[in-house]
Structures are given as structure tokens and as C-alpha cells.
Amino acid sequence: MATLKDVAKLASVDVSTVSRALNNTSYVHPDTKKKIYDAVEKLSYKPNLLAKGLRQGKRHTIGVVVPSINISIFGEIVQGIEIEARKLGYEVMICNTKDDPDSEEECLNRLRNGLVDGIIIASTGQNARLIKDIKGSGIEVVQVVRNQDKSISSVVADYYTCGYEATKYLVKKQCTNIGFIKGASDIIPYKERFRGYQKAIKQCGLKEHVVELVASNGNYFNDGYDGTMKLLEKTPDLDAIISVIDIQGLGVIRALKKKKKIIPNDVRVISLTGHSIGAMLETSMTSMEIPSKQMGEQATKMIVESIEADIENKPGQRHIVFVASLVERETT
């Protein structure tokens, strides 16, 4: 691998001149700069960004750890993070974990040993000690979507209200057998949405119809499909299904069509985590819309503020909660 000395030797200049030219720290004659850049290109020289970052005290890079960016609100959250980070002069490194704790651990260790000043994470909740250790080492951490650790700042939505309001809405639509496809109970948003559903069902004097499926390898579409089949097997006269996320809702719609159920005449469908794709479907999906891009922007502002603050002026814990809004479409 080429070094700074190799570049200097090929360009016939001092190492200090190469450094000044590449970092634009002081004037270097244009002809000399050209020789240096030609040498850099010829040698395929890549600067030691880690050493440079350590010298400057900042790497201006944020790590982002999310389950997936494929047809989910996490994709929109990452967009918000990237847009805001760019405005603030930061780069972003993205890790997809598929909600696998081992993959998450690997990503976290790679980021902590790499070029990041902070990490924005939607955690599985299984690496709490590691995340605390990373934060204790001086790398800032902000949780997004999932507030798994109350001692670390977070940007989330009001998931309990999502589950509660969606269920009450379906009851107003004269639904009496409302099915719920439940996500992993150890992940806060899934747990809170289910609590909201339970509260509304109890208040309305109805019976719960619940199936719990945990997506394998992040295949939430299959969870929606399989969950719907199981719900219909137990309750053939089901008249509504609540899915926790849109991609799961797509599986619900596919299963209902397979069973010759007409949406919304036979069964109404609502997602508790709206994604922009929901409005584009052949049968557009009613959902509780979460302002995901704004959540990403907010998380980025918070982490950059913490990164750039002096040790004596570090902001305290902050827990920001965004409110979802019901968007009625064809599935109800």
C-alpha cells in the first residue's frame, strides 16, 4: 500500500508539501499540486482517514444500525438521517441487521472500532451492555424508533396510541372480530402497539384474536401471510386485521385474496406503521402514518449536538415522542 512518503518521492517534493496539498491547510503552487495529484492517482494512494480523524478529534461520520431499509419506515428514517447529516457536514455508514442480535453485535463492534463519532440505532434490545459500553467510551448514541434503554436518548413514536386508535377506528366501522398479528414482545414498539389494541378491545367488550409470529430473516411479508391464514383458521368470520407494519400488511392482503376475501367488504385491513408504498398499492392501505423522515432528522440533530458539545456542556438525556396520524384508504 502506498504511503505519503511514496507520493512525496514520486512527486519530488517534501512529505509536508504533500500533506499541505491534500489537506488544503496552506498554499501550494498549482503546478506542484498537479504533480502531487498525478502521483496520488498513479500510486492509488488512500490517506489514513482514521489517523487524520484522530488528529482532528472528529471523524464527522455517524453509524446507523437498523433492521432493514427495504420497504419499511427505516428506509425513510435513514433518508432523513442522511439529508440532515449532509447539511451538518457529516457522512453516514449504514448497517442492516435483519433484527439478528449477532449481526447487530458485529455491526456495533465494527463501528466502534472504525470511523464514527456517534451511532443512531434501532436496537434488538439484546446488546444493551455493549451499547452502554460504546457510549461510555465516548461515542455518542441515540436510539431511534425503539427506546430499549431509558438511560440513552431516543426518538420514537407513540406506539400505544397507534394500536389503540386503530382498533377504535375499526370498531366504529362496525368490526367485531378484529385480528391482530403481533410482533416480537421484547421489542418495545411491538409490545406497545399490542397494549393499545388490548386496551381498546377490552373497552369495547370484544374478544381478542391474536397470532404472534416473529419474522425469520426479516421476512415480514411471510409473517403477514401466515398470520392471516392462522387467524382465519381460528376465526373464519374475522372482519378486520391489524398488521404492525406495512410490509406485513402486504402479506395480509395477499392471504385474503388467496382466501377469496373481498377487501374491505369482508375484511378490513390497517397497518400500524405507515410507509409511502401503502398509498401506491392496487388496493391502497389504511395506516397509522409515522413522520419517519422527521424522526431521522431529529435523531441526527440530537447526536451531532452531543458530538460537537464540550464535555462540560453535553446535553442530558432527551426522549422525543412523535405522534402518528390515521390515513384512511381503500382497505377499510
Side-chain angles (χ1 to χ4, degrees):
M1 185 186 298
T3 66
L4 206 65
K5 287 183 179 179
D6 296 329
V7 174
K9 183 178 180 180
L10 184 59
S12 300
V13 297
D14 295 334
V15 171
S16 61
T17 305
V18 176
S19 179
R20 286 188 289 115
L22 297 181
N23 293 303
N24 288 314
T25 53
S26 60
Y27 177 78
V28 176
H29 193 279
D31 292 341
T32 305
K33 265 192 175 181
K34 184 177 185 308
K35 287 198 302 181
I36 291 169
Y37 291 152
D38 287 345
V40 166
E41 184 175 355
K42 186 171 183 179
L43 294 170
S44 299
Y45 170 71
K46 292 180 174 57
N48 188 334
L49 295 176
L50 178 58
K52 179 180 176 183
L54 291 172
R55 286 196 301 273
Q56 294 178 344
K58 294 286 186 298
R59 301 158 181 84
H60 290 93
T61 304
I62 299 167
V64 179
V65 181
V66 291
S68 170
I69 57 174
N70 182 34
I71 315 182
S72 72
I73 65 158
F74 291 110
E76 294 178 348
I77 284 172
V78 169
Q79 285 182 44
I81 291 171
E82 285 189 310
I83 291 168
E84 190 62 28
R86 203 173 299 126
K87 287 180 188 175
L88 298 172
Y90 280 73
E91 299 295 330
V92 172
M93 296 175 65
I94 302 167
C95 295
N96 294 301
T97 67
K98 294 190 180 296
D99 263 336
D100 176 60
D102 293 335
S103 295
E104 181 180 87
E105 181 181 7
E106 181 185 342
C107 290
L108 287 168
N109 281 321
R110 194 183 324 131
L111 290 172
R112 80 180 302 186
N113 295 323
L115 301 170
V116 300
D117 301 297
I119 297 173
I120 297 174
I121 183 168
S123 172
T124 61
Q126 302 302 307
N127 290 293
R129 183 176 296 179
L130 174 58
I131 294 170
K132 279 183 178 292
D133 186 47
I134 289 171
K135 183 166 173 57
S137 72
I139 296 174
E140 299 297 335
V141 179
V142 169
Q143 302 173 102
V144 67
V145 177
R146 303 168 177 179
N147 183 1
Q148 302 280 36
D149 188 331
K150 301 296 182 183
S151 69
I152 298 175
S153 293
S154 65
V155 178
V156 301
D158 186 349
Y159 308 113
Y160 172 85
T161 301
C162 283
Y164 180 83
E165 293 295 339
T167 307
K168 295 286 275 191
Y169 163 79
L170 290 171
V171 172
K172 288 179 183 176
K173 290 282 186 177
Q174 309 303 316
C175 297
T176 56
N177 289 307
I178 302 170
F180 190 96
I181 301 176
K182 187 181 174 187
S185 297
D186 57 342
I187 295 178
I188 299 296
Y190 294 150
K191 180 180 179 180
E192 289 299 299
R193 292 183 188 110
F194 182 54
R195 277 206 320 119
Y197 163 80
Q198 285 184 305
K199 180 69 173 179
I201 287 291
K202 185 176 181 180
Q203 283 184 349
C204 297
L206 300 176
K207 180 182 176 183
E208 292 182 13
H209 301 284
V210 181
V211 61
E212 180 171 0
L213 295 169
V214 180
S216 56
N217 298 318
N219 198 332
Y220 297 99
F221 178 88
N222 282 354
D223 263 10
Y225 184 91
D226 295 340
T228 300
M229 290 301 192
K230 289 185 178 182
L231 283 170
L232 289 173
E233 184 180 334
K234 292 193 296 183
T235 312
D237 58 345
L238 206 69
D239 53 17
I241 297 177
I242 298 175
S243 67
V244 291
I245 55 176
D246 272 9
I247 186 69
Q248 196 182 75
L250 296 179
V252 172
I253 291 172
R254 175 68 64 83
L256 290 173
K257 288 186 176 180
K258 178 80 172 176
K259 286 292 190 178
K260 309 296 185 189
K261 297 285 186 178
I262 299 172
I263 304 170
N265 294 356
D266 297 328
V267 183
R268 301 179 193 272
V269 180
I270 186 169
S271 162
L272 298 183
T273 314
H275 182 276
S276 55
I277 196 172
M280 305 175 197
L281 302 174
E282 181 180 353
T283 305
S284 59
M285 193 183 311
T286 296
S287 63
M288 299 297 296
E289 299 283 326
I290 291 173
S292 46
K293 285 185 181 178
Q294 292 94 315
M295 288 172 67
E297 291 168 0
Q298 180 63 44
T300 307
K301 289 174 184 174
M302 286 168 59
I303 203 164
V304 169
E305 183 182 349
S306 294
I307 290 167
E308 298 192 344
D310 296 331
I311 294 177
E312 301 80 12
N313 299 312
K314 291 284 185 184
Q317 293 171 30
R318 287 167 291 174
H319 299 288
I320 309 298
V321 180
F322 282 80
V323 177
S325 55
L326 176 68
V327 178
E328 189 174 35
R329 300 191 180 103
E330 292 173 312
T331 57
T332 58

